Amino acid sequence: PLTIVEILSPRQSADEVVAKFEIYFNQGVKSCWFIIPATDSIFIFTPGRKIQVFHDEPLTDSATGISIDLREIFV
């Protein structure tokens, strides 16, 4: 896949989720989306630990070109 989406659950730690991203990048994944529902936030990680943070604005993943309006996601 080009992109992986991980949604933080109440039983997970953020460190646990982020630790998986390096494995995904080593397999050719271009970006990992880390969704935190409690804060209506999406963090986009790309290889090299570059991180973009989105809250309530239109999101564009620079690695894949995927665009989404977060106002449609977090209602």
Side-chain angles (χ1 to χ4, degrees), residues 9-22:
S9 75
R11 295 185 197 134
Q12 287 179 304
S13 73
D15 290 339
E16 179 183 344
V17 174
V18 173
K20 294 190 240 179
F21 294 169
E22 195 61 37

Side-chain angles (χ1 to χ4, degrees), residues 32-68:
C32 294
W33 293 21
F34 182 27
I35 301 174
I36 303 177
T39 61
D40 293 345
S41 301
I42 297 179
F43 294 75
I44 298 181
F45 289 73
T46 55
R49 306 287 272 176
K50 295 178 183 173
I51 304 169
Q52 295 175 284
V53 182
F54 299 89
H55 295 285
D56 58 1
E57 66 274 3
L59 169 156
T60 298
D61 182 337
S62 61
T64 63
I66 297 170
S67 294
I68 296 175

